[in-house]
Amino acid sequence: MGKKEIIEHWDDPAVVSMYDKNLLEIEINSILELLKENDRLLDLGCGEGEGTVRYYRNVERLIGVDFSNTRLEKLREKNSHIICFQMDMRNITFDIFNEKFTKVITQRSLINLESFEDQKDVISRIHALLEEDGRYIMLEGFVDGTEKINEMRNAFNLSSIDVLWHNRFFRKDELLEFISPYFELESSRDFSLYFLLTRVFNAILKFPDVPKWDEAANVLAREMEMKYRNSFIKGVSRLELLVFKKK
């Protein structure tokens, strides 16, 4: 994959960043729980702003950044009051805003960079953009959980769910080794219950058809994930939410 192809993909107005709106709702609510009304928030890679418009109502100040003007136009249609900039996150610096933030969010945005080197570069920039004791809220895709959920699917003769061509998922041990000089891991959460119920159990029941995201069983799975978020089921989630405190 290359930078040009990724930008062209997200500049296509027909592309949807998250088709599974149940999972998106879980993501947004999980992040909202981490925000405070006096936060100055940078939503880095905000896309069309499905989460951004919700975060905006719960913080003192929010700025959105995305490399795709198509995505930002969709955000402006939702809320024209939100300050947002078209910018490659690999070029983002403190000088651009002349302020530091209490929190920075990346919500499935770093996975759209071509390499781990690019991802590391942006993480170091996030560190510089945060005030002392600021928090980096990282919700990204991980190879570890993806491999485990696919092992479970394959055991029931279900096909693997591949990482999309324009995504580069993290390996957790590799990420934590790199990030340790910059940040302390404060908390983590995955969405294993939801992935197990929707990508394995319901997929088995529906086979050979593929379940639609908005059918009743998946809506119930969303409610269970949000209610029983401390479930003993762990490690089979393609996505993880990590909260890092700046060192």
Side-chain angles (χ1 to χ4, degrees), residues 41-123:
L41 179 66
L42 176 63
D43 192 352
L44 192 55
C46 60
E48 59 261 48
E50 290 174 294
T52 313
V53 294
R54 303 266 295 277
Y55 311 145
Y56 174 77
R57 298 196 296 265
N58 287 271
V59 297
E60 178 181 307
R61 176 171 168 78
L62 181 147
I63 294 176
V65 170
D66 201 87
F67 60 62
S68 169
N69 191 54
T70 301
R71 300 293 116 188
L72 292 178
E73 284 301 317
K74 290 177 178 287
L75 167 58
R76 294 182 185 109
E77 288 171 5
K78 294 181 178 74
N79 188 325
S80 61
H81 298 291
I82 294 176
I83 300 170
C84 54
F85 298 97
Q86 182 183 10
M87 190 184 309
D88 188 328
M89 64 179 73
R90 284 165 289 203
N91 298 327
I92 201 163
T93 64
F94 166 75
D95 295 337
I96 292 170
F97 304 110
N98 199 31
E99 67 174 307
K100 294 201 173 185
F101 299 90
T102 59
K103 291 185 173 81
V104 175
I105 295 171
T106 64
Q107 186 174 355
R108 288 177 286 101
S109 55
L110 295 189
I111 58 174
N112 288 291
L113 298 174
E114 303 97 278
S115 69
F116 187 42
E117 291 305 312
D118 285 333
Q119 292 168 334
K120 290 191 292 185
D121 176 63
V122 174
I123 290 171

Side-chain angles (χ1 to χ4, degrees), residues 196-207 211 215 217-218:
L196 182 64
L197 291 175
T198 59
R199 273 48 169 186
V200 180
F201 288 173
N202 199 28
I204 293 170
L205 293 174
K206 288 286 184 176
F207 186 83
E215 62 184 50
N218 287 352

Side-chain angles (χ1 to χ4, degrees), residues 7-192:
I7 292 174
E8 288 176 350
H9 172 76
W10 290 114
D11 276 342
D12 181 352
V15 168
V16 177
S17 63
M18 172 60 84
Y19 75 93
D20 185 343
K21 301 305 180 185
N22 292 309
L23 182 54
L24 180 61
E25 186 67 15
I26 292 168
E27 290 182 10
I28 292 171
N29 277 280
S30 300
I31 291 173
L32 282 171
E33 292 173 359
L34 300 168
L35 302 181
K36 298 179 180 178
E37 61 181 15
N38 63 344
D39 274 328
R40 301 184 308 282
L41 179 66
L42 176 63
D43 192 352
L44 192 55
C46 60
E48 59 261 48
E50 290 174 294
T52 313
V53 294
R54 303 266 295 277
Y55 311 145
Y56 174 77
R57 298 196 296 265
N58 287 271
V59 297
E60 178 181 307
R61 176 171 168 78
L62 181 147
I63 294 176
V65 170
D66 201 87
F67 60 62
S68 169
N69 191 54
T70 301
R71 300 293 116 188
L72 292 178
E73 284 301 317
K74 290 177 178 287
L75 167 58
R76 294 182 185 109
E77 288 171 5
K78 294 181 178 74
N79 188 325
S80 61
H81 298 291
I82 294 176
I83 300 170
C84 54
F85 298 97
Q86 182 183 10
M87 190 184 309
D88 188 328
M89 64 179 73
R90 284 165 289 203
N91 298 327
I92 201 163
T93 64
F94 166 75
D95 295 337
I96 292 170
F97 304 110
N98 199 31
E99 67 174 307
K100 294 201 173 185
F101 299 90
T102 59
K103 291 185 173 81
V104 175
I105 295 171
T106 64
Q107 186 174 355
R108 288 177 286 101
S109 55
L110 295 189
I111 58 174
N112 288 291
L113 298 174
E114 303 97 278
S115 69
F116 187 42
E117 291 305 312
D118 285 333
Q119 292 168 334
K120 290 191 292 185
D121 176 63
V122 174
I123 290 171
S124 66
R125 291 172 185 270
I126 289 170
H127 182 268
L129 288 164
L130 283 165
E131 67 176 25
E132 294 304 312
D133 294 330
R135 265 59 173 186
Y136 169 32
I137 300 171
M138 179 188 200
L139 200 161
E140 299 286 350
F142 285 83
V143 173
D144 316 63
T146 300
E147 291 177 343
K148 289 179 181 177
I149 198 73
N150 281 335
E151 286 176 14
M152 297 184 73
R153 286 176 59 87
N154 296 161
F156 291 94
N157 297 316
L158 298 170
S159 61
S160 296
I161 302 174
D162 295 328
V163 176
L164 296 173
W165 68 268
H166 53 84
N167 288 161
R168 195 268 178 201
F169 277 20
F170 288 89
R171 287 199 175 274
K172 195 168 182 180
D173 57 350
E174 186 179 56
L175 169 69
L176 293 179
E177 180 181 2
F178 163 74
I179 211 169
S180 59
Y182 297 93
F183 293 98
E184 172 190 349
L185 179 60
E186 196 167 60
S187 65
S188 64
R189 176 183 173 187
D190 69 18
F191 312 113
S192 288

